[in-house]
Amino acid sequence: MISYLDLEAINRSFEPDLTDALLRAVHSGWYIRGREDQAFEQVFARYIGTTHCVGVGNGLDALTLVFLAWKTMGLMADGDEVIVPANTYIASILSIQRAGLIPVLCEPDPHTYNLDPNQIETLISPRTKAILAVHLYGNCCPMDRIVTIARRYGLKTLEDVAQAHGATWMGRKAGSWADAGAFSFYPGKNLGALGDAGAVTTDDEVLADRVRALANYGSTEKYVHPFRGMNSRLDELQAAILSVKLPRLDVDNARRRALATRYLAELNSEVVKLPEVDLSAEEELRHGGFTHVFHIFPVLCADRIELQRHLADCGIQTLVHYPIAPHHQKSMVEYASLSFPVSERIHREELSLPLYPTMTEEQVDAVIRAVNGFVYHTSC
């Protein structure tokens, strides 16, 4: 069986450094907001290209804390609106609601599946205060256009970078374009911890200080709590692990791109729609192009269930990102009557193929042979 994602093999490839880092953190005697956390925050901010990085407990908290911080800074209030893509993972939307704000769902670009700048301005109202740009599948949103729109209307921008660690747009890293970036380091991410972990990146010192305080019970100094905060801190063990993995992130992303390039060139099923990626722009990345980091390789198929069953019969595990559109979730009943045809098609037809840095060429051969065989009903 070819696993969708072989985390055991990925983590084994970092040994013995991974175990050494864990032991160092364990034996330090300090497990929350210590030297490992500080070291990772510094090196990750430098990697992303921002002045500040604040380690937090997970990606959902990273998003939520930014919105809460802006509220405490007087930049938005309960009931204000945030534009967010309709086809995102539900955490993006939950973060807005957790902060007492209202998500305004926006249809994605039918070619990239990311937030569509052409749709944003039609949704801006007097209550709009921010745009949440989600870099889905490892592909950056067109941040130059989104930031320009936000500035025109006096809006804040936040990047959800959970799926795009190391991705760039016009030569700048995802997480450095907006007023802030929010990261998840869930184990399956391109830069994954061994548990939940997250971070906020920003050039805004006031915002960084406010996020740090809110993530520590609203405390600015021990037992002094000027804000109603929460407990969401990056622990020393996860910070140590991330510090080991970060130096290899660009190399691993390059491997992901190489495997994705094979898929794009060799998959030829007439009933499977491949991601639309401008490989010429990839070639020009040295001159300010972009880099797609292929956290997910999504294909669309009208007969997704049969395709997934066929691939399983061929010994290939796949996943769906995501089977139910957010506005069709029971927890989002207030959006149930809305229609988002582009988003709904993505949720109805998307299937994610295996793709990870330790995947072998022989495994890629098997996936390509099986997907192409679905058209012609040949053997695996």
Side-chain angles (χ1 to χ4, degrees), residues 86-156:
N87 62 314
T88 186
Y89 181 55
I90 199 168
S92 308
I93 297 169
L94 289 174
S95 70
I96 299 168
Q97 294 175 322
R98 288 177 73 195
L101 306 171
I102 298 176
V104 175
L105 306 185
C106 179
E107 276 277 59
D109 184 311
H111 304 288
T112 67
Y113 312 149
N114 271 334
L115 192 62
D116 187 349
N118 296 320
Q119 301 289 331
I120 291 174
E121 287 191 85
T122 67
L123 299 173
I124 294 174
S125 78
R127 300 304 301 270
T128 306
K129 291 297 186 293
I131 301 169
L132 176 53
V134 184
H135 304 306
L136 279 175
Y137 309 139
N139 189 21
C140 273
C141 296
M143 289 307 300
D144 56 325
R145 295 179 62 191
I146 292 172
V147 169
T148 298
I149 292 170
R151 288 173 179 166
R152 184 183 305 140
Y153 290 91
L155 308 178
K156 305 302 287 184

Side-chain angles (χ1 to χ4, degrees), residues 260-298:
T261 299
R262 284 202 59 195
Y263 280 159
L264 291 168
E266 299 177 45
L267 290 174
N268 57 25
S269 168
E270 295 177 356
V271 296
V272 175
K273 183 180 184 299
L274 302 181
E276 295 185 27
V277 179
D278 184 357
L279 291 177
S280 65
E282 284 280 316
E283 292 297 324
E284 295 170 1
L285 63 91
R286 292 188 186 89
H287 307 286
F290 77 98
T291 53
H292 191 317
V293 295
F294 290 100
H295 172 63
I296 292 169
F297 191 92

Side-chain angles (χ1 to χ4, degrees), residues 131-373:
I131 301 169
L132 176 53
V134 184
H135 304 306
L136 279 175
Y137 309 139
N139 189 21
C140 273
C141 296
M143 289 307 300
D144 56 325
R145 295 179 62 191
I146 292 172
V147 169
T148 298
I149 292 170
R151 288 173 179 166
R152 184 183 305 140
Y153 290 91
L155 308 178
K156 305 302 287 184
T157 52
L158 173 59
E159 295 172 76
D160 183 338
V161 203
Q163 297 186 7
H165 306 162
T168 65
W169 182 262
M170 296 178 64
R172 287 176 58 179
K173 287 279 198 310
S176 69
W177 273 94
D179 295 293
F183 291 79
S184 166
F185 301 120
Y186 183 78
K189 304 299 185 184
N190 289 32
L191 179 61
L194 296 187
D196 278 320
V200 172
T201 55
T202 184
D203 287 327
D204 186 336
E205 183 175 3
V206 175
L207 177 63
D209 290 343
R210 194 62 53 90
V211 167
R212 192 178 300 279
L214 288 168
N216 189 37
Y217 303 101
S219 174
T220 52
E221 58 182 290
K222 194 165 185 175
Y223 302 133
V224 177
H225 303 266
F227 312 108
R228 295 181 182 180
M230 56 197 287
N231 176 14
S232 182
R233 301 168 297 195
L234 178 63
D235 70 63
E236 291 289 278
L237 294 175
Q238 304 304 339
I241 291 161
L242 292 168
S243 291
V244 168
K245 290 187 171 184
L246 180 59
R248 212 180 78 189
L249 177 58
D250 288 343
V251 172
D252 285 348
N253 283 342
R255 175 62 178 166
R256 287 176 178 270
R257 284 197 296 275
L259 298 181
T261 299
R262 284 202 59 195
Y263 280 159
L264 291 168
E266 299 177 45
L267 290 174
N268 57 25
S269 168
E270 295 177 356
V271 296
V272 175
K273 183 180 184 299
L274 302 181
E276 295 185 27
V277 179
D278 184 357
L279 291 177
S280 65
E282 284 280 316
E283 292 297 324
E284 295 170 1
L285 63 91
R286 292 188 186 89
H287 307 286
F290 77 98
T291 53
H292 191 317
V293 295
F294 290 100
H295 172 63
I296 292 169
F297 191 92
V299 300
L300 299 188
C301 180
D303 205 359
R304 175 175 67 193
I305 294 175
E306 286 303 315
L307 174 60
Q308 188 168 39
R309 183 178 294 123
H310 165 78
L311 293 177
D313 290 343
C314 293
I316 297 163
Q317 182 186 39
T318 57
L319 293 181
V320 176
H321 295 90
Y322 304 94
I324 304 175
H327 65 288
H328 288 162
Q329 296 282 357
K330 290 183 179 179
S331 59
M332 302 287 169
V333 65
E334 64 270 38
Y335 298 99
S337 64
L338 300 180
S339 175
F340 300 99
V342 176
S343 179
E344 288 160 13
R345 183 196 174 194
I346 295 169
H347 289 281
R348 186 172 60 249
E349 298 186 4
E350 192 276 340
L351 188 68
S352 304
L353 303 182
L355 195 157
Y356 47 92
T358 57
M359 197 172 177
T360 67
E361 298 295 333
E362 291 74 20
Q363 288 174 320
V364 175
D365 290 339
V367 174
I368 292 170
R369 186 166 58 247
V371 173
N372 289 344

